[in-house]
Amino acid sequence: MEEIDGNAIVAQALKEQGIEYVFGICGFPVIELSMALQTAGIHYIGMRNEQAACYAAQAIGYLTGVPGGVLVVSGPGLLHVCAGMANAQVNCWPVLVIGGSCPQDHEGIGGFQECYQVELARPYCKYAARPPSLSLIPQHVEKAVRLATYGRPGAVYLDFPGNLLQARTTVDQIPTQYTSPEIPLAFPEPRRIEEAVALLARAQNPLVIVGKGAAYARAEPEVRDLIDSTNLPFLATPMGKGVVPDTHPNSIQPARSLALQRADVVLLLGARLNWILHFGRPPRYRSDVKVIQIDITAEELHNSVKSSVAIQSDLKPAVAQLAEGLKMRGFVFDRRSDWWTDLNKKIEDNKKKVEEMALDISEPLNYYAVFHHLQQVLPQNPIIVSEGANTMDIGRSILMNDLPRHRLDAGTFGTMGVGLGFAIAAALYCRHFQPEKRVICVEGDSAFGFSGMEIETMVRYKLPVVIVVVNNSGIYGGLPEDVYNDLQDSGEVTKVTPPTSLSVSTRYENMMNLFGRKGFYCTSISELQNAVKEALKVTDGPSIINVIISPSADRKPQTFSWLTESKL
């Protein structure tokens, strides 16, 4: 009878459960497992850091709906990947972490990289387990993949000691394992839909908020039909952008603060009332605001504030039934209402302020000018990856998304360092599913530093990512060169250099020289636009465009400071 080892059993089980991509860093005891994955027909992408590998895996899970795998070594490898697991868990993206671990017969006597890995992983995932035998590996793989995707998606962890991976048995001892059935669809209670329809129909200042849950649920046809048929104004959360196009006439993104503050009924579609939406509380909202909440997870209902109507359901059927109920009433929100008049006035006022800054191309450049003119030369509907404080926040308002799942950013956990991992996943997705599409990775200079060496991964796998580093020489903001130099000369550098400062105008584009390629250094709008056009011609690897902006560049004045909330 043919023999098989643990590495092949794991690889075959992953393939049978639909896993197509595994990202990781190989080393003892998972070197042979990485090779077995390729033998099984799985794409293996070797990364430079475990966190970035996990960011890539969860992004491919979000884009495809099938978890990406992460392969890590024992001890430090597992500890390094925990940040990525936590990000996936909070973001509600499916990912499967596969950890090699110390051989079981070395445990308790100081084994190499011995670590309580299942226990360490458990707080950051939905399921953590160590298969106790070769014959049970397929069962645990099936369960892990199922739990990563059923209900609220998230992270799962499987632990494989070195001795289990190296153990051998005969093929007949490995039972055939079923694959998970199609994810069950949860339908809403009809009376809750009726309550929501009635509440929306009475609203004077209604508002729809579209979250990334709607994008993950592939609910864009239903959400677009709801907006088109009712004329309701809507806002999108950062990664909810594109579920309904940013260019849709009902998008009131430029009037976000006013819309939140004065809405009397808020319909939440795949969004949570967390810090991104200011917890649903005054002063960012009316004290008497009524919330209609649709969420796949019952535990999320009434979180932070009590919802007037709480609907546990998948978004697709719930939104479809909601739209149908409003159509049956003949409900269309009047475009001539005071609410639309106030929103449109605020939109025009804010657009004028942004346009003034966007058209100011004096040097050193500001954020708005960079993003406005970058938007002009981008290809149609690219996947935009973005991270960094102002880079991400300001870019979100100017770089448009007309399709869902076309913006990837720091997300609910606010994690910096995700950008290049996300971009690698997006580029692989484009290669295999939409080869005509491009990936634009817009990075703050601080955020780029977290995982900048992943450009080597992009070169190795010939991924044509255009990386735009918006360089203000600091975290939030830097210093002009003369001020920076004077400060460093004034005393011990560790005591006088401001904590938010980075080296002035660092030449990040020269990192491309490591691979015999050329980057782009830009200080003007014409240089930026020419660089983007040239970079888009590169199809066998990444490009870096280093755009120098003013160290003191900032966003337009805000009505509320960041995270303004009631402490009551």
Side-chain angles (χ1 to χ4, degrees):
M1 179 66 67
E2 180 186 354
E3 284 196 337
I4 189 170
D5 69 3
N7 293 298
I9 295 169
V10 173
Q12 291 176 17
L14 291 169
K15 183 67 175 178
E16 287 169 2
Q17 296 302 329
I19 303 299
E20 294 292 341
Y21 300 89
V22 174
F23 305 79
I25 299 178
C26 64
F28 180 82
V30 296
I31 296 172
E32 292 81 6
L33 179 52
S34 65
M35 299 174 184
L37 293 169
Q38 292 181 314
T39 301
I42 293 172
H43 298 283
Y44 178 79
I45 301 93
M47 304 282 284
R48 300 303 298 265
N49 179 278
E50 288 91 353
Q51 289 184 36
C54 196
Y55 298 144
Q58 63 195 255
I60 205 76
Y62 173 66
L63 292 169
T64 66
V66 178
V70 190
L71 184 65
V72 299
V73 301
S74 50
L78 186 277
L79 289 168
H80 289 170
V81 87
C82 283
M85 293 175 68
N87 189 72
Q89 188 71 354
V90 175
N91 247 9
C92 307
W93 287 1
V95 69
L96 167 58
V97 178
I98 306 151
S101 60
C102 170
Q104 289 165 297
D105 56 334
H106 292 181
E107 291 179 346
I109 56 174
F112 176 66
Q113 296 183 334
E114 182 181 353
C115 191
Y116 296 109
Q117 296 185 187
V118 175
E119 292 84 352
L120 281 166
R122 190 163 283 129
Y124 308 108
C125 60
K126 295 178 67 178
Y127 176 67
R130 171 190 285 184
S133 66
L134 292 176
S135 63
L136 288 173
I137 286 174
Q139 175 183 317
H140 280 274
V141 170
E142 184 280 328
K143 183 173 183 179
V145 173
R146 174 162 42 87
L147 294 186
T149 54
Y150 274 38
R152 174 177 283 177
V156 292
Y157 174 68
L158 290 178
D159 191 72
F160 295 99
N163 61 300
L164 187 66
L165 293 173
Q166 296 162 13
R168 302 184 69 82
T169 188
T170 54
V171 172
D172 65 317
Q173 295 300 306
I174 306 302
T176 302
Q177 185 62 41
Y178 57 79
T179 56
S180 302
E182 187 174 339
I183 297 171
L185 200 62
F187 281 76
E189 291 182 67
R191 68 188 177 96
R192 298 295 180 212
I193 293 294
E194 292 170 6
E195 291 171 2
V197 167
L199 187 55
L200 277 170
R202 294 195 304 269
Q204 298 297 308
N205 295 5
L207 176 65
V208 179
I209 300 179
V210 182
K212 70 175 178 292
Y216 183 81
R218 274 61 178 171
E220 54 269 18
E222 291 79 10
V223 177
R224 292 180 183 191
D225 179 55
L226 173 70
I227 298 300
D228 289 339
S229 63
T230 61
N231 195 41
L232 289 168
F234 78 93
L235 284 172
T237 65
M239 282 188 278
K241 282 162 59 69
V243 172
V244 184
D246 284 345
T247 51
H248 193 285
N250 288 44
S251 172
I252 46 102
Q253 210 74 28
R256 182 179 189 271
S257 290
L258 176 70
L260 295 179
Q261 192 176 28
R262 290 180 47 190
D264 62 351
V265 175
V266 171
L267 173 61
L268 281 179
L269 303 180
R272 292 171 281 177
L273 290 177
N274 53 25
W275 67 273
I276 293 177
L277 289 175
H278 317 291
F279 312 105
R281 302 178 185 178
R284 301 303 298 265
Y285 293 78
R286 289 168 47 153
S287 59
D288 61 346
V289 65
K290 293 178 173 58
V291 175
I292 302 168
Q293 185 181 16
I294 304 174
D295 202 281
I296 187 64
T297 305
E299 290 82 355
E300 185 62 36
L301 301 176
H302 307 295
N303 195 29
S304 184
V305 298
K306 184 177 181 180
S307 296
S308 297
V309 183
I311 304 171
Q312 183 190 6
S313 173
D314 278 277
L315 274 176
K316 288 176 76 69
V319 175
Q321 291 182 26
L322 195 58
E324 185 61 29
L326 289 166
K327 288 175 187 175
M328 290 177 65
R329 282 181 173 241
F331 172 80
V332 178
F333 190 65
D334 190 353
R335 197 79 186 190
R336 298 164 298 177
S337 67
D338 291 344
W339 182 226
W340 263 121
T341 300
D342 292 345
L343 289 171
N344 285 328
K345 182 178 185 304
K346 189 64 174 179
I347 288 169
E348 289 306 311
D349 289 346
N350 281 340
K351 279 185 175 179
K352 287 177 183 177
K353 293 175 184 176
V354 169
E355 183 177 340
E356 183 179 341
M357 301 171 76
L359 297 180
D360 176 8
I361 60 173
S362 59
E363 300 169 24
L365 298 170
N366 70 74
Y367 286 105
Y368 295 87
V370 168
F371 294 133
H372 173 76
H373 292 90
L374 174 61
Q375 175 70 53
Q376 292 178 341
V377 291
L378 290 182
Q380 185 176 18
N381 292 320
I383 295 180
I384 298 173
V385 179
S386 186
E387 62 173 333
N390 287 332
T391 297
M392 181 175 65
D393 292 341
I394 300 171
R396 178 172 63 242
S397 65
I398 300 177
L399 300 176
M400 296 289 102
N401 293 103
D402 282 347
L403 296 175
R405 299 172 296 282
H406 277 57
R407 178 181 170 87
L408 306 173
D409 68 19
T412 311
F413 211 31
T415 307
M416 294 300 147
V418 298
L420 273 70
F422 283 1
I424 287 168
L428 286 166
Y429 173 81
C430 291
R431 173 182 289 174
H432 296 140
F433 297 97
Q434 294 183 284
E436 76 289 349
K437 194 173 291 294
R438 295 302 297 267
V439 177
I440 311 297
C441 184
V442 185
E443 298 274 305
D445 51 331
S446 172
F448 178 72
F450 280 83
S451 53
M453 274 311 298
E454 295 300 341
I455 61 169
E456 188 275 329
T457 307
M458 296 178 182
V459 170
R460 194 172 357 121
Y461 293 106
K462 301 181 179 181
L463 300 175
V465 177
V466 178
I467 302 168
V468 180
V469 180
V470 183
N471 188 348
N472 69 351
S473 304
I475 303 169
Y476 305 111
L479 294 171
E481 187 171 9
D482 56 342
V483 176
Y484 176 83
N485 290 336
D486 287 346
L487 275 174
Q488 290 220 311
D489 291 340
S490 66
E492 169 57 48
V493 290
T494 56
K495 295 181 179 179
V496 298
T497 305
T500 58
S501 290
L502 299 173
S503 297
V504 176
S505 300
T506 301
R507 301 296 296 262
Y508 296 108
E509 79 284 356
N510 287 337
M511 294 177 72
M512 294 308 301
N513 296 343
L514 298 169
F515 315 104
R517 301 176 181 227
K518 182 174 177 266
F520 303 90
Y521 179 80
C522 307
T523 60
S524 69
I525 291 301
S526 60
E527 289 173 339
L528 168 64
Q529 293 192 326
N530 289 333
V532 173
K533 293 173 184 176
E534 288 300 312
L536 288 170
K537 297 176 183 177
V538 179
T539 58
D540 64 346
S543 301
I544 297 179
I545 301 171
N546 185 17
V547 187
I548 306 301
I549 69 169
S550 170
S552 58
D554 203 354
R555 59 192 309 178
K556 72 177 181 65
Q558 302 295 298
T559 305
F560 294 99
S561 61
W562 185 64
L563 283 183
T564 299
E565 57 151 326
S566 169
K567 299 296 182 182
L568 299 177

